[in-house]
DNA sequence: ATAGGGTTAG
């Protein structure tokens, strides 16, 4: 920037033809706006001094303002100003840049209007604009609109496909992402490194280990360089598929490791129940002089929470504050979780009271779970009141409170909660589990019998139920409605989605293949018990990833040591 | 005379 300022000063001392001056200033403005070494304030000043600003300078400014650290809607305002002035005329670059800006700040309405204007101006057929539109709608989580924009692209290159695939990943539609990749291959478009990063993320989200392994092998076959992004995605994928050994291998082979991949590894170890290893990795990270950030500490603190390591948790909490990281909601969440799991609900409440910002629903929910586990009815009711006031339309809250009342035999209050839920027309998020078989991810919702192989599935489920009962297991019925007859209660538990997915795994795979399940909610106590028994009587290793962590069931025991 | 779309950790 120092040299640039000198050049700028020299230009101003000379008498130059206006077009030359304009060109020189526009180059200076572009550098200041776009280079990582630039200075957006300087760019704005130079831009305002350019005689006859042409479209190049406008485009640089629009793009530059969206590249800064905390982008605002400034690019959109610049664009509006440009349109209002009527000169110079926006081109396809302008639309691509401003749409990108809208995607960064998720300015949905603004982007929609720009889309309309773009079609009117005849730039709807530019492949760059088309891809920018797909990206914009996907980032705003309007995935249907993104898909419509994608479908309208006549010639799709790998960038267009990657955009749509990453869009699906962004909104959690992992199976759709995997399906689109198959289509991409059918269409004969070669995936590149960026496509594979999104694919690996999709596999991580879906728990699709076999496809993930395939992508890894494909990468090596095509000699696609394992760069930082790809390696990080792989570490994450293996860890989130319960293959922590493979995750470690990829991690150790990396020549350069940044904060993100260290954090990935730490979180991966933590969710796999390897708390000590996660803390050990954190120590190595410090030795390697890689600076931890707020995400790293989320991993470290959650490792402490899952391992029940209270004093360590406080120690890392202090060291986080010392290193100047402001505790975020998630950090408080980890600490509250840690304290509640250890039965220190009062301490958790004190911490929440000391928070500088108002607690979010996650914090209240964690506290409520803590109160439930420790049967603290009065405290729990106070917490529940806060939670329902903050989030009156979330079914999960009512179900949690209802189960809380059930666990302390407060049947009257329990039915009141259910009634309130019904009155408000709130529907529970259905439990959903998936399993990957032969390269396809099969999804099962609770009590859903729409799977094509439903008859065989029913047979296995019956077999499981009988053998589990013979084994001496008694379902814990207060977890379900108390006002139905006992038999019905048991069958409702039998139909929890993970049971269906496990049954499908038993049907479709043979020992010693591991049965890997991904669940969208946390496992209930009964399912946890039953899965332990299944692992023993069917002699199969079963790995369940629930919403928070892994359970590895082997020969009747679980890696979480019944602490989750 | 000048430039561009898709990617990694909670």
């Amino acid at each position: 920037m120092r040299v640039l300022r000198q050049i700028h000063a020299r230009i101003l001392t000379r008498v130059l033809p206006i077009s030359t001056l304009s060109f020189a200033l526009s180059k200076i403005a572009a550098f200041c706006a776009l280079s990582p070494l630039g200075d957006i304030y300087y760019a704005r000043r130079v831009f305002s001094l350019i005689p006859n600003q042409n479209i190049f300078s406008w485009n640089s400014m629009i793009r530059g303002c969206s590249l800064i650290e905390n982008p605002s809607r400034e690019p959109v305002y610049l664009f509006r100003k440009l349109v209002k002035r009527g000169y110079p005329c926006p081109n396809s670059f302008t639309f691509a840049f401003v749409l990108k800006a809208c995607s960064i700040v998720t300015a949905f309405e603004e982007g929609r209007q720009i889309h309309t204007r773009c079609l009117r101006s005849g730039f709807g057929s530019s492949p760059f604009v088309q891809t920018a539109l797909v990206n914009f709608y996907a980032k705003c989580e309007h995935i249907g609109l993104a898909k419509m924009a994608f479908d309208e692209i006549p010639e799709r290159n790998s960038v267009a496909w990657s955009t749509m695939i990453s869009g699906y990943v962004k909104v959690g539609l992992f199976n759709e992402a995997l399906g689109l990749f198959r289509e991409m291959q059918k269409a004969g478009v070669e995936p590149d490194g960026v496509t594979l990063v999104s694919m690996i993320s999709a596999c991580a989200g879906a728990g699709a280990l076999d496809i993930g392994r395939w992508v890894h092998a494909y990468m090596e076959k095509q000699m696609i360089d394992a760069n930082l992004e790809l390696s990080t995605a792989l570490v994450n994928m293996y860890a989130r598929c319960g293959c922590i050994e493979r995750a470690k291998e990829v991690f150790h082979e990396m020549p350069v490791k940044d904060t993100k991949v260290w954090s990935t590894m730490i979180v991966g170890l933590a969710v796999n129940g390897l708390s000590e290893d996660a803390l050990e990795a954190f120590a190595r990270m410090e030795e390697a002089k890689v600076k931890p950030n707020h995400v790293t500490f989320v991993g470290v603190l959650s490792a402490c929470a899952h391992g029940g390591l209270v004093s360590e948790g406080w120690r890392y909490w202090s060291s986080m504050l010392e290193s100047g990281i402001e505790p975020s909601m998630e950090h408080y969440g980890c600490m509250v979780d840690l304290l509640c799991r250890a039965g220190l609900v009062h301490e958790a409440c004190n911490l929440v009271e000391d928070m500088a910002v108002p607690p979010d629903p996650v914090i209240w929910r964690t506290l409520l779970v803590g109160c439930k586990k420790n049967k603290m009815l009065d405290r729990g009711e106070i917490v529940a009141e806060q939670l329902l006031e903050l989030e009156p339309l979330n079914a999960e809250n009512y179900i949690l409170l209802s189960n809380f009342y059930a666990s302390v035999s407060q049947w009257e209050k329990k039915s009141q909660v259910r009634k309130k839920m019904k009155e408000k027309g709130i529907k529970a998020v259905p439990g959903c589990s998936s399993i990957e078989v032969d390269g396809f991810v099969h999804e099962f919702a609770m009590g859903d019998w729409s799977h094509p192989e439903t008859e065989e599935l029913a047979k296995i489920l019956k077999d499981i139920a009988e053998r589990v009962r013979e084994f001496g297991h008694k379902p814990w019925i207060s977890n379900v409605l108390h006002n139905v007859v006992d038999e019905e209660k048991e069958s409702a538990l039998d139909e929890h989605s993970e049971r269906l997915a496990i049954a499908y795994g038993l049907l479709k795979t043979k020992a010693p293949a591991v049965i890997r399940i991904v669940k969208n909610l946390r496992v209930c106590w009964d399912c946890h018990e039953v899965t332990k028994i299944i692992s023993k009587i069917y002699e199969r290793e079963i790995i369940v990833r629930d919403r928070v962590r892994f359970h590895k069931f082997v020969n009747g025991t679980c890696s979480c040591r019944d602490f989750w």
Side-chain angles (χ1 to χ4, degrees):
Chain A
M1 275 308 296
R2 211 172 52 84
V3 178
L4 195 92
R5 278 168 212 266
Q6 286 169 358
I7 298 169
H8 186 195
R10 288 231 189 148
I11 290 168
L12 295 182
T13 58
R14 300 236 186 138
V15 182
L16 293 169
I18 199 101
S19 64
T20 311
L21 177 69
S22 179
F23 180 69
L25 290 180
S26 83
K27 289 300 267 182
I28 291 176
F31 176 84
C32 297
L34 301 175
S35 163
L37 306 166
D39 176 346
I40 191 71
Y41 299 98
Y42 203 83
R44 289 194 194 101
R45 281 213 307 279
V46 177
F47 175 69
S48 69
L49 297 171
I50 300 173
N52 306 323
Q53 298 148 330
N54 66 11
I55 195 63
F56 285 95
S57 337
W58 280 92
N59 290 350
S60 304
M61 289 310 295
I62 289 171
R63 193 155 86 98
C65 295
S66 64
L67 292 176
I68 57 176
E69 221 162 289
N70 292 307
S72 61
R73 301 195 173 208
E74 190 180 349
V76 178
Y77 302 139
L78 272 169
F79 177 78
R80 285 193 182 147
K81 204 160 135 192
L82 173 66
V83 170
K84 208 166 159 198
R85 284 178 31 148
Y87 180 85
C89 210
N91 59 17
S92 67
F93 290 79
T94 321
F95 282 103
F97 295 155
V98 74
L99 284 168
K100 164 83 181 182
C102 291
S103 75
I104 292 172
V105 297
T106 58
F108 178 63
E109 278 311 320
E110 289 86 341
R112 247 182 113 83
Q113 285 169 17
I114 291 163
H115 183 181
T116 313
R117 179 175 294 280
C118 175
L119 296 181
R120 267 197 318 222
S121 317
F123 291 109
S125 55
S126 152
F128 289 92
V129 172
Q130 289 170 333
T131 313
L133 277 168
V134 175
N135 181 50
F136 159 70
Y137 283 121
K139 291 282 148 61
C140 292
E141 310 206 333
H142 284 273
I143 200 68
L145 291 171
K147 186 61 172 34
M148 276 168 66
F150 176 76
D151 287 340
E152 276 172 26
I153 305 178
E155 293 271 319
R156 294 166 205 152
N157 59 14
S158 68
V159 179
W161 285 98
S162 305
T163 309
M164 194 62 225
I165 290 172
S166 77
Y168 277 136
V169 174
K170 166 96 185 15
V171 297
L173 294 172
F174 307 117
N175 227 353
E176 281 75 0
L178 299 177
L180 201 66
F181 182 72
R182 277 188 277 268
E183 273 185 54
M184 177 180 179
Q185 288 186 300
K186 260 188 243 157
V189 181
E190 280 283 303
D192 60 17
V194 179
T195 322
L196 298 188
V197 170
S198 290
M199 272 302 291
I200 296 166
S201 304
C203 293
L209 180 61
D210 290 342
I211 306 173
R213 282 185 184 131
W214 180 88
V215 175
H216 192 175
Y218 179 89
M219 208 182 105
E220 286 173 345
K221 202 180 81 194
Q222 300 291 314
M223 314 240 268
I224 293 173
D225 242 10
N227 58 22
L228 203 55
E229 286 89 350
L230 268 166
S231 302
T232 306
L234 283 172
V235 172
N236 182 46
M237 185 274 289
Y238 282 121
R240 303 236 294 141
C241 287
C243 230
I244 195 67
E245 287 309 319
R246 244 354 236 123
K248 280 188 200 167
E249 278 171 35
V250 176
F251 179 75
H252 289 309
E253 283 164 14
M254 291 175 70
V256 182
K257 302 182 181 79
D258 67 353
T259 302
K260 278 188 185 171
V261 74
W262 276 106
S263 307
T264 307
M265 194 68 245
I266 291 168
V267 171
L269 290 164
V271 296
N272 276 275
L274 301 165
S275 304
E276 281 84 5
D277 295 12
L279 300 179
E280 178 67 26
F282 180 66
R284 295 283 94 81
M285 178 181 181
E286 287 189 308
E287 276 170 24
K289 300 267 183 285
V290 180
K291 223 174 134 55
N293 66 10
H294 62 286
V295 181
T296 321
F297 278 102
V298 169
V300 168
L301 295 175
S302 71
C304 296
H306 287 299
L309 308 167
V310 179
S311 57
E312 286 86 346
W314 279 122
R315 219 176 56 230
Y316 289 113
W317 176 262
S318 311
S319 85
M320 179 176 89
L321 300 184
E322 275 164 29
S323 66
I325 296 173
E326 277 287 307
S328 71
M329 206 58 87
E330 277 154 300
H331 297 124
Y332 277 108
C334 289
M335 285 311 284
V336 170
D337 191 25
L338 168 64
L339 295 168
C340 284
R341 281 162 192 271
L344 303 167
V345 182
H346 287 293
E347 236 180 281
C349 290
N350 291 339
L351 183 69
V352 169
E353 276 165 26
D354 286 344
M355 284 172 65
V357 281
D360 74 349
V362 178
I363 305 260
W364 290 120
R365 211 157 30 238
T366 310
L367 271 181
L368 187 54
V369 171
C371 293
K372 174 173 176 277
K373 271 195 193 135
N374 294 281
K375 305 215 183 286
M376 296 166 64
L377 182 58
D378 295 343
R379 175 63 81 164
E381 285 187 317
I382 297 169
V383 171
E385 203 178 314
Q386 301 281 342
L387 178 60
L388 292 180
E389 195 178 311
L390 213 58
E391 224 185 31
L393 297 176
N394 186 348
E396 202 183 328
N397 299 337
Y398 294 90
I399 292 166
L400 176 57
L401 184 58
S402 150
N403 288 342
F404 186 5
Y405 283 134
S407 70
V408 289
S409 307
Q410 297 275 329
W411 305 113
E412 184 52 38
K413 284 183 174 168
K414 181 194 161 97
S415 59
Q416 275 170 16
V417 173
R418 289 278 167 180
K419 213 174 111 199
K420 199 161 152 196
M421 199 176 148
K422 219 174 196 173
E423 279 167 9
K424 295 189 177 222
I426 303 166
K427 290 248 175 346
V429 176
C432 180
S433 297
S434 61
I435 180 169
E436 181 197 39
V437 174
D438 296 334
F440 285 89
V441 178
H442 300 255
E443 291 180 330
F444 298 87
M446 178 179 170
D448 174 15
W449 296 99
S450 64
H451 197 276
E453 287 155 284
T454 198
E455 264 179 50
E456 292 95 317
L457 208 55
K459 265 190 227 152
I460 300 252
L461 281 165
K462 199 159 159 263
D463 188 55
I464 294 174
E466 276 168 16
R467 290 177 67 176
V468 166
R469 196 175 321 119
E470 280 166 21
F471 192 83
H473 173 71
K474 295 249 181 337
W476 185 55
I477 43 183
S478 72
N479 224 0
V480 197
L481 289 172
H482 83 286
N483 56 352
V484 289
V485 292
D486 278 359
E487 243 168 80
E488 278 178 59
K489 281 180 231 172
E490 286 191 32
S491 99
L493 283 170
D494 281 350
E495 289 173 24
H496 275 181
S497 62
E498 57 266 57
R499 193 81 53 91
L500 302 182
I502 291 169
Y504 193 68
L506 288 171
L507 181 69
K508 286 289 172 185
T509 68
K510 290 202 164 30
V514 177
I515 295 176
R516 295 168 189 276
I517 309 291
V518 172
K519 184 172 189 196
N520 66 337
L521 306 173
R522 300 228 65 187
V523 284
C524 77
W525 186 85
D526 187 72
C527 286
H528 195 264
E529 284 302 304
V530 170
T531 309
K532 285 199 283 187
I533 297 167
I534 294 173
S535 78
K536 189 174 178 70
I537 57 187
Y538 288 85
E539 294 177 28
R540 293 293 289 268
E541 181 174 337
I542 303 169
I543 299 180
V544 178
R545 183 179 96 197
D546 74 11
R547 203 173 57 183
V548 180
R549 62 165 293 161
F550 278 93
H551 302 267
K552 188 169 168 183
F553 300 93
V554 183
N555 195 27
T557 59
C558 179
S559 61
C560 76
R561 293 183 232 112
D562 300 339
F563 181 72
W564 79 95

